[in-house]
Amino acid sequence: MAQSDEEEDYMSMVFEDAPKAPKHETSLQRAARRRREGEAAARVKSKAELKAEAEAAREESLATALPSSNKGFKMMAKFGFKQGDTLGKSEDARKEPIQINIKEDKGGIGLESEKKRKFMETMAKADKEAKRIKATEGDYLELRRQEQLEKKAERQLYNAQKTAELLAEEAAEENSQGVSQQVPLKDVNVLWRGLARRRLEKNDHQKQERELHNSLASRLPVYHDDEEDNDSKIALGRDADPFYRSLMNDDVEEDSELAIFEALPAADRLRQIALFLREKYHYCFWCGHRYPDATMDGCPGVTEEEHD
Amino acid sequence: MANKRADFDDDDGARVKRIKVEQNGNGKIKDPESNPYLAHWNDQPLKQDPSNSADLLYKFKRHATTAKEANVAEDGPLNPFTGQTLSSNYMGILKKRRDLPVHQQRAEFLKLYQESQILVFVGETGSGKTTQIPQFVLFDDLPQLNNKMVACTQPRRVAAMSVAQRVAEEMDVQLGQEVGYSIRFEDKTSPSTLLKYMTDGMLLREAMHDNNLTKYSTIILDEAHERTLATDILMGLLKEVVLRRKDLKLIIMSATLDATKFQKYFHSAPLLAVPGRTHPVEIFYTPAPERDYVEAALRTVLQIHASEPEGDILLFLTGEEEIEDACRKINLEAQELTREADAGPLVVYPLYGSLPPAQQQKIFNSAPPPLRPGGKPGRKCIVSTNIAETSLTIDGIVYVVDPGFSKQKVYNPRIRVESLLVSPISKASAQQRAGRAGRTRPGKCFRLYTETAFKKELIEQTYPEVLRSNLASTVLELKKLGVDDLVHFDLMDPPAPETLMRALEELNYLSCLDDEGELTALGKLASEFPLDPALAVMLITSPEFYCSNEILSLTALLSVPNIFVRPAAQRKRADEMKDLFAHPDGDHLTMLNVYHAFKRDDAQENPKQWCHDHFLSYRALGQADNVRMQLKRIMERSEIDLMSTPFEDKKYYENIRRALVAGFFMQVARRDGSGKTYTTVKDEQSVLLHPSTVLGQESEWVVYNEFVLTTKNYIRSVTAVKPEWLLDIAPNYYDLSTFKNNEIKKALQRTMNTVMRKESTKNKR
């Protein structure tokens, strides 16, 4: 059974074919149909329905201009009348018949427009409110989207900086023939200096914490085991030599170059690093691959979009 | 005042559509000679016998008279037009006339009149322009020297009659002699007539047979600001006529509103303005829009009565029912105020077009006296439609309450409906209403809307009638007037092109215009009848259905106000009486039954009582009788045969219904399924039968006389017809290929198939 193709998608809202009328109507069906039609025709419509229908027909006719197939039109055309022309010789002659307005109540002059005005006012208010809600909704979504983008860019930036740092260290190692050197912070490329600085700060911070802890502990009236030797101290997480080294050179120097760079949006910084990586190391951040030469054969482009 | 008589013919009744023939006062039968509609058939005899006129005017030089000379002539002692000695009554009136504001500017008027062919004259209500200006013209134009006349048009018949009456008195002549009037179906003029007041529609009719209006040396269009259909058409025509007839002078008279528009329209004609004699009116607005203007109006009236000093109140509402209801409520509340709060007596009078004349006259009663000596003064309150806005002056009105609405005719060519709808008035209308409070002394106008609403919601001017009317009958008239290019006919406010399109189309389907837009023989004949084209065509084709007598009666009945009376308190009884005449096939046949019964001897013994007993309007039936007579004359002149199917014949009523289709095939509706609703053919509007109909629900196809637009769509005056008649009698309109695919088309298709099948079997035999 070649069912798979034929199988009907019963959830689909598309009607492939209009239901086919049975080719032959049986007499019973015919009788039923006639009865149905008869009932529909014979059903007495309510007065309101009739009035609404009559009004609708009237309004429709009133809104429909006489066609140019009208016999009168042809007689008028004989004298040069064209569709859209007016009669007579005055410039401001009427084009349309006077509208018919049927007054249905005893409301005084101005009541209708007063009602309308009030209605419009209410409508306008509601409209404004709806717009305001929608606008805030839109803002919020946009904000969220921006935040997401920002976060993503930050994440990528961090990765890019890591990569750059790694590549730079590798290059430095190669140059120094295996002798590893601690590069002073201000000599680190500004592109990833922030990364290095934050790491440094973090280390310092941890150090300080520890030192603080030790110093406090040393001053607090805690149990002090005189038997404790240095090994025991280290095992208990305390410095063997309480020393306030880091607390003393606490302030990190001002770095205006870094500050300027950090002030740029994350996406810009990311772009700069990506470009730097390409130029210096023929490395494409988006491909995640280091190419052998400057042509970078096989990389689709500089931006993330080009790598989609 | 000159036009103190009310004009009650304002089209504020519910039946606007086909009222073209108006009432002839007492319903008397006029001989053909005096029928102004037929005046063009009578040869105009030479009117002037010079010895008949006073010598005085022969010293005058035409178009060179000074105000001084004219004043001297007016002073007498002999009447300058008749040579008779002037009466003391004349002298008394003359003194008052000299006090009128227009008199101050007589010299200025004459100068401009003499210098220019066209003049726009602006005079506020109360300036005396309607009575005085035509007389000023007479003394300078001297129409008697050229065997011509001066015409002064009025939008309303009653105004034409009452002003003519007044001016005849002022000139000390007999009405119908030197000064006369001419309104449809009544001509009060003679060969010696120099000054003719007439309705604007009447002058237009005259122009149809005399395109250059050669009978007149000066034509004055009065109350032009009202912008009636006939005035607008006349302005368009006269604009052309003055180019052809350099000797014809034209004066457009208007109240202040928008006079510069007339000036611009008539190629910067000079304008002369005369201030009216009015007092300041203080206007008050409501601080907020009113929830219910009727309720607010009642509250305001009662508040005025309780707290304002002496002076009568005029309240504007929209229609008969609303007015009667308001009157009842004000009466009740006022009585309570008098009892409980020591207010003065208040008398309330309604005023609307369909009110009987005797009741209309009551509005001129003076306010009631205080209940006891030294008590608070009484007052009257008139609750009126916009009749009281322009057409009549009621002295003593100090307070006007204006809710800002009136019933106005609307027409929309897209759904072909002409109806009266309650609509906000214009700023101009509101000012006019306010002005009514300042006729006798400074007054107050209470507008039941805010000042902002006045400024922002009300349109500047009421839309002229030409923008709110079906133009089918106007187009027919213009074609008859020789205006061929209707597209570029220079109307002051041209209507929407679709209005003209629809009118041309309707006339084409009625075979009054051919496909090129040229007048057909039938169209020429139809234009002779002062009727809507559909009615005229129905009447002309009725001999083909052997029932022209009956269709003639029916046409007359459809041309007058509603013949059935249904007082609010006796509705049930009135409906029972109507059922006596009811014909199961419809309202047209029912009306015909009423008319036939009315003409029977037993009814004619005391027709007034008979009408009263049967809840019928004696006035309307009398009018119908008169209209029938006039139309019959035109039919005879046009050699249209008058005939009837014998009453015993079973086709008697069927023939009438078929003849009805010949005129009204464009006003047909078909019932939807088995429900109560109908759908109109082609326009596809969903409609209901008007509750007043006698027709049962079982008729599938009906013709209707009127599409009434309210919160529901109604068709009024309906009669059942058969679909095969539609296909047979109006094959052009019922060309099924032009129909949209709908139930109506299917039904007609079925009918057509049945007819064809029947015929083919007939042929086989």
Side-chain angles (χ1 to χ4, degrees):
Chain A
M1 277 208 326
Q3 209 190 23
S4 60
D5 288 324
E6 305 274 69
E7 203 170 40
E8 255 181 67
D9 175 9
Y10 56 85
M11 294 294 278
S12 164
M13 292 303 287
V14 182
F15 297 98
E16 314 275 64
D17 289 279
K20 283 176 201 116
K23 272 179 193 147
H24 297 291
E25 199 177 33
T26 65
S27 64
L28 276 175
Q29 281 170 330
R30 187 161 54 240
R33 178 176 57 83
R34 289 202 174 143
R35 201 180 57 238
R36 262 199 320 277
E37 284 172 359
E39 272 168 8
R43 189 178 72 88
V44 179
K45 286 175 183 158
S46 75
K47 278 188 176 174
E49 269 179 292
L50 288 175
K51 196 181 160 199
E53 269 178 25
E55 253 169 51
R58 188 172 68 210
E59 290 309 316
E60 198 199 323
S61 302
L62 284 174
T64 317
L66 296 182
S68 52
S69 60
N70 186 295
K71 283 182 165 186
F73 184 89
K74 287 169 202 154
M75 296 181 208
M76 288 158 73
K78 219 174 89 179
F79 294 100
F81 179 83
K82 292 184 295 296
Q83 195 79 50
D85 282 2
T86 54
L87 301 182
K89 288 174 182 163
S90 68
E91 299 117 33
D92 51 355
R94 297 194 75 83
K95 283 202 166 92
E96 296 265 306
I98 295 173
Q99 277 306 311
I100 289 184
N101 289 310
I102 294 166
K103 188 171 171 54
E104 302 204 359
D105 55 11
K106 296 275 178 203
I109 292 195
L111 190 68
E112 269 311 299
S113 55
E114 178 78 8
K115 269 188 202 156
K116 211 186 257 173
R117 192 180 59 79
K118 278 198 180 140
F119 178 73
M120 292 302 268
E121 251 171 31
T122 326
M123 286 300 282
K125 224 184 230 168
D127 210 36
K128 218 170 153 187
E129 182 62 22
K131 254 190 201 149
R132 198 188 59 79
I133 288 170
K134 212 170 169 192
T136 14
E137 240 168 44
D139 281 358
Y140 175 72
L141 290 177
E142 180 63 13
L143 223 65
R144 288 276 304 187
R145 207 173 66 84
Q146 284 298 334
E147 265 170 29
Q148 300 281 356
L149 281 177
E150 195 80 3
K151 267 189 187 156
K152 186 179 160 205
E154 290 281 3
R155 241 178 4 252
Q156 287 172 337
L157 178 67
Y158 175 77
N159 289 337
Q161 284 176 329
K162 279 279 248 203
T163 316
E165 192 175 35
L166 201 72
L167 288 170
E169 271 169 19
E170 267 174 28
E173 256 169 53
E174 269 169 38
N175 288 348
S176 60
Q177 302 292 325
V179 184
S180 159
Q181 278 174 309
Q182 186 69 36
V183 187
L185 196 58
K186 65 177 190 315
D187 291 342
V188 178
N189 190 322
V190 73
L191 294 177
W192 62 91
R193 197 188 294 160
L195 184 71
R197 182 182 165 130
R198 264 188 297 279
R199 198 171 47 232
L200 213 66
E201 274 170 5
K202 202 175 161 194
N203 284 342
D204 282 353
H205 189 71
Q206 281 174 349
K207 216 184 268 169
Q208 278 170 26
E209 289 259 292
R210 212 163 43 240
E211 282 169 4
L212 188 67
H213 185 72
N214 288 344
S215 69
L216 281 176
S218 61
R219 273 181 256 162
L220 284 170
V222 290
Y223 167 76
H224 204 278
D225 192 354
D226 289 323
E227 309 293 298
E228 235 175 26
D229 52 18
N230 272 352
D231 287 344
S232 308
K233 276 177 188 169
I234 289 163
L236 281 167
R238 291 200 291 260
D239 282 349
D241 276 313
F243 193 62
Y244 305 108
R245 201 176 33 182
S246 49
L247 278 177
M248 284 185 295
N249 65 346
D250 179 44
D251 48 340
V252 182
E253 314 143 58
E254 284 294 313
D255 186 344
S256 59
E257 194 190 3
L258 181 64
I260 291 169
F261 180 71
E262 297 272 272
L264 292 173
D268 283 3
R269 281 178 279 163
L270 180 60
R271 201 176 58 244
Q272 284 192 29
I273 295 175
L275 283 172
F276 170 80
L277 288 174
R278 293 177 80 87
E279 276 169 29
K280 190 113 187 227
Y281 306 111
H282 313 310
Y283 179 86
C284 175
F285 177 69
W286 306 114
C287 299
H289 181 72
R290 189 167 180 174
Y291 291 90
D293 51 18
T295 53
M296 295 180 73
D297 222 5
C299 177
V302 222
T303 61
E304 185 184 9
E305 286 82 54
E306 284 165 287
H307 287 77
D308 276 341
Chain B
M1 276 275 92
N3 46 359
K4 184 155 182 171
R5 277 201 58 187
D7 170 56
F8 304 118
D9 282 64
D10 210 315
D11 50 0
D12 101 306
R15 330 177 94 227
V16 256
K17 177 132 192 181
R18 307 207 179 264
I19 304 171
K20 303 211 69 204
V21 185
E22 292 152 24
Q23 184 206 0
N24 174 19
N26 46 21
K28 254 191 231 154
I29 299 154
K30 291 281 177 309
D31 67 314
E33 301 305 311
S34 66
N35 178 358
Y37 185 68
L38 306 173
H40 56 280
W41 284 312
N42 307 330
D43 285 328
Q44 190 75 30
L46 262 185
K47 95 171 52 151
Q48 219 57 44
D49 172 10
S51 64
N52 200 16
S53 291
D55 290 340
L56 190 52
L57 290 184
Y58 284 93
K59 282 185 258 163
F60 284 16
K61 216 173 142 228
R62 209 166 163 247
H63 297 160
T65 317
T66 63
K68 212 172 162 191
E69 285 167 350
N71 279 344
V72 170
E74 271 176 3
D75 285 339
L78 294 182
N79 190 324
F81 295 101
T82 62
Q84 308 282 312
T85 315
L86 290 162
S87 66
S88 58
N89 181 38
Y90 171 89
M91 294 301 177
I93 299 175
L94 183 63
K95 222 172 159 190
K96 280 185 206 146
R97 285 170 56 200
R98 298 263 159 101
D99 280 343
L100 285 168
V102 281
H103 196 81
Q104 311 302 314
Q105 265 141 307
R106 187 169 190 166
E108 212 176 324
F109 168 78
L110 283 174
K111 187 170 167 284
L112 286 175
Y113 172 72
Q114 286 157 2
E115 281 170 2
S116 171
Q117 193 181 8
I118 307 174
L119 172 65
V120 179
F121 185 89
V122 174
E124 284 173 30
T125 331
S127 62
K129 65 176 189 308
T130 304
T131 52
Q132 304 307 302
I133 294 292
Q135 295 187 60
F136 294 176
V137 167
L138 278 188
F139 277 91
D140 186 58
D141 200 32
L142 308 169
Q144 63 273 36
L145 303 183
N146 294 316
N147 205 14
K148 294 209 187 293
M149 284 187 280
V150 170
C152 180
T153 66
Q154 298 293 319
R156 282 171 299 273
R157 336 169 33 254
V158 179
M161 282 157 60
S162 60
V163 173
Q165 172 77 54
R166 169 71 193 184
V167 172
E169 209 181 325
E170 288 188 1
M171 287 174 63
D172 215 10
V173 298
Q174 212 190 331
L175 180 64
Q177 292 302 305
E178 280 74 11
V179 177
Y181 65 86
S182 171
I183 56 182
R184 192 157 296 157
F185 297 131
E186 196 179 348
D187 184 18
K188 200 120 175 103
T189 60
S190 68
S192 54
T193 300
L194 305 176
L195 173 57
K196 181 155 129 188
Y197 283 93
M198 63 207 301
T199 54
D200 45 11
M202 206 58 220
L203 186 62
L204 195 58
R205 285 253 138 202
E206 284 191 12
M208 279 171 57
H209 298 281
D210 176 10
N211 291 354
N212 282 335
L213 291 161
T214 49
K215 276 194 263 179
Y216 305 99
S217 54
T218 296
I219 291 171
I220 304 169
L221 299 182
D222 196 8
E223 315 288 355
H225 62 273
E226 289 197 21
R227 304 293 307 279
T228 59
L229 184 52
T231 294
D232 269 14
I233 304 291
L234 273 175
M235 288 198 294
L237 275 179
L238 287 168
K239 206 175 164 179
E240 288 173 14
V241 173
V242 290
L243 300 177
R244 297 197 291 264
R245 276 193 58 197
K246 288 290 173 196
D247 61 317
L248 177 71
K249 282 190 183 280
L250 180 62
I251 302 174
I252 314 294
M253 296 211 286
S254 158
T256 42
L257 317 159
D258 219 11
T260 44
K261 193 169 178 183
F262 293 103
Q263 214 183 351
K264 204 178 139 207
Y265 179 66
F266 284 107
H267 312 296
S268 315
L271 186 144
L272 179 63
V274 173
R277 190 177 283 165
T278 49
H279 301 274
V281 175
E282 201 179 344
I283 290 172
F284 299 91
Y285 294 95
T286 52
E290 295 289 348
R291 299 209 153 271
D292 181 335
Y293 70 86
V294 180
E295 200 258 343
L298 303 185
R299 208 175 53 228
T300 311
V301 165
L302 292 164
Q303 205 177 333
I304 293 169
H305 183 54
S307 55
E308 293 283 341
E310 193 174 0
D312 297 333
I313 305 168
L314 174 60
L315 163 62
F316 287 99
L317 288 178
T318 62
E320 175 177 341
E321 206 176 318
E322 198 175 85
I323 288 171
E324 289 291 358
D325 195 43
C327 286
R328 250 191 317 276
K329 284 179 181 156
I330 294 174
N331 244 325
L332 283 175
E333 297 277 338
Q335 277 167 18
E336 200 177 315
L337 269 182
T338 316
R339 266 199 318 272
E340 314 277 321
D342 192 33
L346 180 73
V347 189
V348 190
Y349 299 113
L351 177 61
Y352 45 85
S354 52
L355 201 66
Q359 289 203 48
Q360 293 186 347
Q361 283 303 318
K362 282 188 186 163
I363 60 162
F364 297 111
N365 293 352
S366 42
L371 288 174
R372 54 190 157 72
K376 287 204 178 152
R379 75 174 103 218
K380 69 177 171 189
C381 171
I382 296 162
V383 186
S384 169
T385 61
N386 52 344
I387 287 186
E389 194 175 299
T390 47
S391 32
L392 84 165
T393 304
I394 313 156
D395 287 329
I397 300 289
V398 179
Y399 306 101
V400 165
V401 180
D402 172 21
F405 290 102
S406 69
K407 257 190 194 165
Q408 290 167 26
K409 183 168 76 172
V410 289
Y411 171 70
N412 192 297
R414 293 178 181 176
I415 58 171
R416 292 194 304 144
V417 59
E418 197 174 40
S419 208
L420 282 166
L421 288 182
V422 173
S423 318
I425 58 171
S426 64
K427 285 193 184 105
S429 243
Q431 302 296 40
Q432 188 75 32
R433 286 180 173 191
R436 298 274 117 181
R439 295 281 300 176
T440 11
R441 60 188 169 89
K444 288 179 179 174
C445 173
F446 298 85
R447 290 184 175 156
L448 303 182
Y449 37 89
T450 64
E451 190 167 4
T452 325
F454 171 78
K455 283 181 184 151
K456 288 193 184 156
E457 305 247 324
L458 302 189
I459 53 170
E460 289 300 321
Q461 299 284 334
T462 310
Y463 290 121
E465 206 184 347
V466 70
L467 302 182
R468 301 186 278 115
S469 306
N470 181 345
L471 295 183
S473 107
T474 304
V475 166
L476 196 61
E477 278 170 357
L478 283 169
K479 283 279 174 190
K480 191 75 199 297
L481 281 158
V483 179
D484 211 25
D485 182 359
L486 294 171
V487 172
H488 298 105
F489 183 64
D490 188 7
L491 281 166
M492 199 165 176
D493 283 294
E498 286 169 61
T499 307
L500 177 60
M501 222 177 274
R502 196 57 113 173
L504 289 167
E505 185 198 43
E506 283 184 18
L507 289 168
N508 178 262
Y509 280 128
L510 285 168
S511 306
C512 289
L513 296 178
D514 62 21
D515 286 349
E516 299 297 305
E518 300 298 329
L519 211 55
T520 61
L522 178 61
K524 272 183 198 137
L525 197 50
S527 74
E528 294 292 333
F529 289 87
L531 295 168
D532 222 48
L535 278 172
V537 166
M538 173 173 82
L539 191 53
I540 294 165
T541 53
S542 59
E544 293 173 27
F545 304 95
Y546 311 103
C547 57
S548 43
N549 280 317
E550 286 73 18
I551 291 297
L552 172 60
S553 307
L554 193 55
T555 307
L557 289 162
L558 290 172
S559 304
V560 298
N562 198 351
I563 57 170
F564 295 103
V565 179
R566 197 166 179 257
Q570 294 162 280
R571 282 188 183 147
K572 205 168 161 252
R573 185 95 186 96
D575 290 345
E576 281 168 16
M577 278 298 163
K578 188 176 176 181
D579 284 344
L580 290 180
F581 305 103
H583 189 286
D585 278 335
D587 299 311
H588 295 92
L589 304 180
T590 303
M591 286 167 88
L592 207 53
N593 284 348
V594 169
Y595 183 73
H596 288 155
F598 173 70
K599 295 300 281 180
R600 278 213 313 263
D601 291 342
D602 55 326
Q604 284 298 314
E605 265 172 35
N606 187 353
K608 215 166 178 175
Q609 187 59 44
W610 185 85
C611 285
H612 185 262
D613 292 346
H614 292 88
F615 288 89
L616 297 168
S617 164
Y618 174 60
R619 215 157 60 100
L621 280 169
Q623 269 175 262
D625 220 13
N626 179 46
V627 169
R628 187 181 192 278
M629 204 70 64
Q630 308 297 335
L631 293 174
K632 190 177 166 202
R633 291 226 174 80
I634 303 174
M635 286 175 80
E636 282 163 359
R637 298 255 182 188
S638 313
E639 295 177 337
I640 298 169
D641 292 334
L642 285 156
M643 57 176 86
S644 294
T645 308
F647 190 68
E648 305 74 40
D649 194 314
K650 65 178 185 338
K651 290 212 161 170
Y652 178 81
Y653 282 114
E654 188 185 312
N655 283 346
I656 296 170
R657 284 156 67 199
R658 287 168 65 102
L660 211 52
V661 169
F664 287 90
F665 55 85
M666 284 183 277
Q667 286 166 225
V668 174
R670 178 182 175 268
R671 191 166 52 150
D672 310 325
S674 55
K676 282 187 173 177
T677 54
Y678 283 71
T679 301
T680 59
V681 169
K682 289 208 183 181
D683 298 325
E684 286 167 32
Q685 296 299 299
S686 177
V687 294
L688 294 167
L689 300 184
H690 195 269
S692 67
T693 189
V694 297
L695 192 69
Q697 292 292 342
E698 63 277 359
S699 326
E700 193 186 357
W701 297 85
V702 294
V703 290
Y704 58 91
N705 186 50
E706 235 185 318
F707 185 143
V708 188
L709 206 58
T710 58
T711 50
K712 286 177 188 154
N713 298 338
Y714 283 120
I715 48 175
R716 187 149 69 182
S717 302
V718 291
T719 286
V721 293
K722 293 195 174 148
E724 49 268 37
W725 301 346
L726 303 171
L727 296 166
D728 176 36
I729 295 167
N732 275 341
Y733 193 73
Y734 288 90
D735 173 0
L736 293 188
S737 66
T738 65
F739 275 64
K740 273 188 224 153
N741 227 350
N742 56 19
E743 285 302 316
I744 287 180
K745 182 174 181 171
K746 279 183 212 156
L748 287 168
Q749 193 68 58
R750 282 196 295 275
T751 309
M752 192 174 259
N753 295 342
T754 317
V755 170
M756 271 155 65
R757 220 170 24 242
K758 263 186 198 162
E759 270 178 17
S760 65
T761 40
K762 221 189 272 171
N763 291 344
K764 271 180 199 162
R765 277 176 199 162

